[in-house]
Amino acid sequence: MLKKFFTAIGEYIILVGKSIQKPQKMRVFWKLFMREINDLGVNSFGLVIFTSIFVGAVVAIQMFNNFDTSDFPIPPSFVGYATKAVLVLEFSPTIISLILAGKVGSYIASSIGTMRVSEQIDALDIMGVNSPNFLILPKIIACMIFNPLLIAISIVFGIGGGYLAGVLTGNWTTNDYITGIQMYMPNLFVYYAFTKTIVFAFIIATVPSYFGYNVKGGSLEVGRASTQAVVWTMVFIILSELLLTQLILS
């Protein structure tokens, strides 16, 4: 089992190495890149916005309840600050990335896996095309460029969800919430959030690509590879978050 795991790690590193080479034809690369921007990024807007608004509202309400029952008086303005801090540090970069791992990761694994079982990848190799570079590099760059934008949008709409929760419940005033949002937060928190996002984006693009590229069999194996890709992508995201938290925040 351990030997199989390390063999897979080695195959993954080799595949990534082949993927990140200079494209053979830049015109074809940019065409594929723009298509991946749409498939992997733009199509995720709705899911990210919907999730962020409601989770931002839930976080704000939970913060208010915790502060309200505290033995020490905590100003209502800290609801806004705490909501912002939670969204920046943990929710938006990590939870949204896990959601994207399920949505985007399954799409990547199934699309490349389908090309493998239908022998389209073999045809590319026969024509002398660097198939990992042709198929995977546009996905890597699209994710690493667009995912930070999705996370920034998630933070904004999450804070907006907290504002709406205050308006609807009346537990805190608009002025208190805005004052909390404007409180100083270390720049390190933002740097940490977007560093995590870029690393997670690389994982989301490459791990499912590995599983899809190495599918053997038919359509049933493509489905299994998609499931494995999502699971292992989430595992590597969680492990990398632990490592990055120790390196950046400790």
Side-chain angles (χ1 to χ4, degrees):
M1 183 67 180
L2 192 61
K3 181 180 179 181
K4 185 177 180 181
F5 174 76
F6 284 111
T7 299
I9 293 294
E11 292 174 346
Y12 168 76
I13 293 173
I14 293 172
L15 182 66
V16 171
K18 293 179 179 179
S19 301
I20 60 177
Q21 297 177 7
K22 183 180 179 180
Q24 294 170 301
K25 291 186 176 181
M26 291 302 299
R27 181 182 300 177
V28 175
F29 167 78
W30 286 114
K31 182 179 179 180
L32 294 172
F33 169 72
M34 296 307 298
R35 187 180 70 183
E36 300 299 346
I37 283 285
N38 180 70
D39 292 342
L40 306 182
V42 176
N43 288 343
S44 300
F45 264 128
L47 178 62
V48 169
I49 291 173
F50 176 82
T51 306
S52 300
I53 289 174
F54 283 93
V55 174
V58 170
V59 169
I61 292 171
Q62 289 179 342
M63 291 301 169
F64 173 81
N65 291 335
N66 290 333
F67 294 162
D68 193 48
T69 58
S70 174
D71 295 332
F72 303 96
I74 300 177
S77 59
F78 276 86
V79 172
Y81 175 80
T83 302
K84 178 180 70 172
V86 169
L87 289 169
V88 171
L89 282 173
E90 194 60 32
F91 169 73
S92 289
T94 304
I95 305 303
I96 291 296
S97 292
L98 290 172
I99 293 173
L100 291 175
K103 180 182 182 297
V104 174
S106 61
Y107 167 77
I108 292 174
S110 60
S111 61
I112 296 180
T114 300
M115 294 185 69
R116 169 62 76 185
V117 300
S118 61
E119 300 182 350
Q120 295 180 54
I121 294 178
D122 296 330
L124 290 172
D125 293 334
I126 291 172
M127 290 188 295
V129 176
N130 181 352
S131 57
N133 176 263
F134 180 81
L135 296 173
I136 301 174
L137 183 62
K139 294 177 173 57
I140 294 174
I141 297 180
C143 284
M144 294 182 70
I145 290 177
F146 209 84
N147 280 26
L149 176 60
L150 289 175
I151 298 308
I153 291 172
S154 172
I155 294 172
V156 172
F157 278 88
I159 292 173
Y163 169 79
L164 291 176
V167 171
L168 295 175
T169 62
N171 289 333
W172 58 87
T173 66
T174 298
N175 289 336
D176 286 335
Y177 190 77
I178 294 176
T179 299
I181 294 173
Q182 294 174 338
M183 288 182 180
Y184 172 76
M185 184 177 68
N187 292 331
L188 179 63
F189 289 2
V190 178
Y191 167 76
Y192 166 71
F194 284 96
T195 300
K196 285 200 305 181
T197 299
I198 294 172
V199 173
F200 295 164
F202 182 81
I203 293 172
I204 291 170
T206 55
V207 174
S209 296
Y210 165 77
F211 281 96
Y213 193 85
N214 290 283
V215 167
K216 295 179 181 179
S219 58
L220 182 61
E221 282 70 23
V222 173
R224 290 174 178 170
S226 298
T227 302
Q228 289 180 322
V230 171
V231 171
W232 281 105
T233 301
M234 291 182 176
V235 169
F236 283 117
I237 285 176
I238 293 170
L239 292 176
S240 62
E241 182 186 19
L242 175 62
L243 179 62
L244 290 170
T245 302
Q246 181 66 25
L247 289 174
I248 299 176
L249 294 184
S250 61

